[in-house]
Amino acid sequence: MGIGKRHWAWAAAPLTLALLAATGCEGSSTSDAGAKPTAAPSSTPVARVCAKPAAGPAKPPAGAVTVDPTVVGDLAAKTRSNPPNTTFWLRPGKHRLEPDRYAQVVPKEGNRYLGAPGAVLDGRKKNQYAFGGRADDVTIQHLTVQRFVAPPDEGVVNHDSADGWVIEHATIRDNSGAGLMAGARQRVRASCLRDNGQYGMNAYKADGRITGLVVEGNEIVGNNTDDWERRREGCGCTGGIKFWAVDGADVRGNWVHDNRGTGLWADTNNNDFRIEDNVLEANDGAALIYETSYNAVIRNNTIRRNNWVEGRRQADGGDNFPFATVYVSESGGEPRIKARTDKIEIYRNVLENNWSGITLWENADRFCNSPANTSSGDCTLLVKDTDRCVRPAIATAPLYADCRWKTQRVDIHDNRFVLDKSVVDCTVKCDRMAVLANYGTYPDWSPYQGERVAEAITRGQHNRWHDNTYLGPWQFVAHDPSRVLDFGQWRSAPYRQDAGSTFRARDGG
């Protein structure tokens, strides 16, 4: 189940942050400093899974137990009566569970569920869950799971976040809540997560961190049909996929598109992500949010036409915050936390005709024990005892640094940013890169009041743009929302950003 989140705006008033997205284009350019940036991805393949999912075996494998769609509850009953490590082959047709809302299948360790062509497990809007329980190493392949009614923040497949599950060539669609939960060592491959009420997948485990998660080659489309951000304003409880406290994830080769809200959202103490070779497009909000988390590589992604809905809505409402397509919020590289990198590196991506580009943000009022910490009482990964983050100790080293999630060591390079305002249909506020914080105001015992955090994120925490290519009329925001800069000011003292980058304002359109 998920955790409600809210972000906090410039003046420390609540600000709903379901953010923005970025996009793709081809080619590379020589920078005006004479350096030649590494080429961005030219034609990222799209994982078109939903239109034509791979078919399962037309005959049962040797030793498999056959499940009959004409017998209500046959799948759950045969699961109970057979030992662990059994393979079940579901015949073509619509399989049903008993009408009780808790009549889910409870697999045993090592069970495998294999759908024949046309095999569907249908909850009929009566059953809450399809597959639950604590058994590890369960496999579900070539099966459509649809029309289950899980409550908000809960999931239909792997409801209890058991470990080691493999979901492959599956279609999980038209369910309430999350189509899928996640456990440690879970593999989700070549599957269609479509039109679910809240999330395509909610990677959350109530009793521990998720490690070794792989999400590869999936199509993740049309999720959050129930529009939960409107129903629970500021909840931060939607997305194509939402990740919570995941330690080690490879998210690659997916097509994440047309979701209501954010495409991919990593929120609260995630670490060691590789997000690469994905196509993120036409999501209503941000393509990617990386929030209160650590150490990530974001590379070779094609990001296009994201955040047109939410970015425009905020701009039309008069909000001056630089809502972005790739939004890094209180997240950064931290060498003390073990990972495959010690920074957040964003490179060789193509972002085309999104509502704005990349924003690096830090809320000066959001830290351990602060009422502005919307992460439900969580503290950073550097402080085991949250009670230590109080005055007077928080005002001095090491707690002054360790009690706050910091946007630091973010390296943005060799990306291609393309903007044609006539395509996005905007005139202002859709054209910004940003690094900024709010003015710290509360609580009254906060050691981060005033401009301390804004100065740190802008000039003291090793956040760099360099060797990028800009096509179109980009602007830049530094320190706070009032400081809107042109390319020359952005590159000059005191900011000195985008060394080695190319800027051609008229080429974007």
Side-chain angles (χ1 to χ4, degrees):
M1 62 193 216
I3 306 170
K5 296 289 191 290
R6 287 199 306 178
H7 297 250
W8 293 73
W10 167 248
L15 170 65
T16 301
L17 282 178
L19 265 91
L20 309 80
T23 190
C25 170
E26 300 184 10
S28 61
S29 171
T30 303
S31 78
D32 56 7
K36 196 167 187 177
T38 305
S42 59
S43 184
T44 304
V46 173
R48 299 183 184 277
V49 177
C50 295
K52 194 174 181 181
K59 295 181 179 179
V65 173
T66 297
V67 181
D68 188 348
T70 67
V71 178
V72 174
D74 197 40
L75 180 60
K78 287 179 174 173
T79 295
R80 288 192 297 269
S81 63
N82 282 280
N85 300 303
T86 298
T87 295
F88 300 88
W89 179 72
L90 285 74
R91 284 178 148 177
K94 192 170 287 187
H95 296 255
R96 296 163 293 166
L97 302 176
E98 295 290 346
D100 182 85
R101 62 178 179 165
Y102 299 121
Q104 66 262 30
V105 180
V106 182
K108 296 173 182 175
E109 185 172 346
N111 281 2
R112 181 185 181 203
Y113 297 88
L114 186 60
V120 176
L121 181 59
D122 191 341
R124 298 175 291 168
K125 300 294 183 182
K126 295 181 179 180
N127 306 113
Q128 287 192 177
Y129 318 120
F131 293 92
R134 299 288 185 174
D136 293 343
D137 303 323
V138 172
T139 298
I140 299 171
Q141 295 173 306
H142 301 290
L143 181 63
T144 294
V145 179
Q146 65 182 32
R147 300 204 305 159
F148 286 80
V149 286
D153 304 322
E154 298 186 33
V156 168
V157 175
N158 196 11
H159 170 261
D160 298 295
S161 301
D163 296 338
W165 284 41
V166 175
I167 314 297
E168 194 169 45
H169 301 296
T171 297
I172 303 173
R173 62 176 301 168
D174 300 311
N175 302 287
S176 299
L180 176 62
M181 300 298 285
R185 300 178 289 104
Q186 183 156 299
R187 306 288 187 266
V188 185
R189 295 193 179 105
S191 292
C192 172
L193 308 181
R194 178 170 196 162
D195 297 332
N196 296 289
Q198 188 176 10
Y199 305 104
M201 182 170 74
N202 186 13
Y204 173 80
K205 189 176 178 70
D207 56 356
R209 293 173 66 78
I210 295 171
T211 58
L213 178 64
V214 174
V215 182
E216 181 176 20
N218 305 284
E219 184 173 353
I220 301 155
V221 53
N223 296 288
N224 188 28
T225 59
D226 292 334
D227 200 3
W228 277 99
E229 298 290 343
R230 292 287 185 95
R231 298 170 69 172
R232 296 180 183 169
E233 184 178 356
C235 72
C237 60
T238 59
I241 300 181
K242 194 77 184 277
F243 304 89
W244 313 87
V246 174
D247 190 4
D250 292 318
V251 183
R252 57 179 176 251
N254 303 284
W255 186 22
V256 183
H257 66 102
D258 294 286
N259 294 284
R260 176 177 282 175
T262 303
L264 302 174
W265 192 340
D267 189 352
T268 308
N269 288 338
N270 297 279
N271 175 51
D272 195 16
F273 271 54
R274 287 190 176 176
I275 302 170
E276 55 191 353
D277 301 315
N278 301 285
V279 176
L280 311 175
E281 65 178 323
N283 297 288
D284 286 359
L288 171 64
I289 299 176
Y290 205 71
E291 179 181 0
T292 53
S293 295
Y294 302 89
N295 300 326
V297 173
I298 302 165
R299 64 187 176 193
N300 297 337
N301 299 287
T302 298
I303 305 171
R304 55 192 174 218
R305 295 181 287 108
N306 295 280
N307 202 41
W308 287 13
V309 174
E310 294 187 6
R312 193 182 317 279
R313 180 188 302 142
Q314 298 294 340
D316 290 347
D319 198 323
N320 195 40
F321 188 86
F323 292 92
T325 285
V326 175
Y327 181 69
V328 179
S329 176
E330 294 99 7
S331 297
E334 178 48 75
R336 290 174 291 173
I337 298 174
K338 184 178 180 181
R340 291 167 287 183
T341 182
D342 61 2
K343 57 186 175 180
I344 292 180
E345 190 171 15
I346 304 172
Y347 69 101
R348 291 207 308 261
N349 303 284
V350 176
L351 292 86
E352 181 178 359
N353 292 330
N354 302 280
W355 192 279
S356 288
I358 298 174
T359 286
L360 308 186
W361 160 254
E362 197 169 318
N363 180 0
D365 299 322
R366 186 180 190 183
F367 54 91
C368 305
N369 286 327
S370 168
N373 176 19
T374 56
S375 296
S376 300
D378 290 318
C379 195
T380 70
L381 292 180
L382 298 171
V383 178
K384 302 301 182 183
D385 181 3
T386 306
D387 292 339
R388 296 174 61 208
C389 295
V390 293
R391 62 180 175 186
I394 194 174
T396 59
L399 295 180
Y400 179 83
D402 292 352
C403 291
R404 188 177 98 237
W405 291 274
K406 292 190 291 185
T407 302
Q408 65 178 8
R409 299 172 59 85
V410 182
D411 191 2
I412 301 167
H413 65 93
D414 293 303
N415 301 285
R416 186 176 178 88
F417 301 108
V418 181
L419 177 64
D420 184 338
K421 288 187 174 181
S422 68
V423 173
V424 182
D425 189 24
C426 74
T427 56
V428 294
K429 300 183 181 178
C430 65
D431 53 2
R432 293 176 290 177
M433 299 280 164
V435 53
L436 76 165
N438 59 329
Y439 189 91
T441 60
Y442 69 96
D444 59 7
W445 54 271
S446 168
Y448 312 114
Q449 294 187 21
E451 296 186 352
R452 293 182 180 186
V453 174
E455 286 292 313
I457 188 175
T458 306
R459 295 193 248 180
Q461 293 178 181
H462 308 287
N463 298 312
R464 290 183 66 217
W465 278 256
H466 62 96
D467 296 301
N468 297 295
T469 298
Y470 294 91
L471 305 178
W474 291 95
Q475 297 187 78
F476 305 86
V477 179
H479 189 275
D480 64 74
S482 69
R483 299 190 190 182
V484 181
L485 314 172
D486 62 26
F487 189 56
Q489 294 168 320
W490 174 245
R491 297 189 68 186
S492 300
Y495 310 111
R496 301 190 185 280
Q497 293 289 358
D498 265 315
S501 295
T502 299
F503 183 83
R504 295 202 293 271
R506 296 183 180 181
D507 288 356

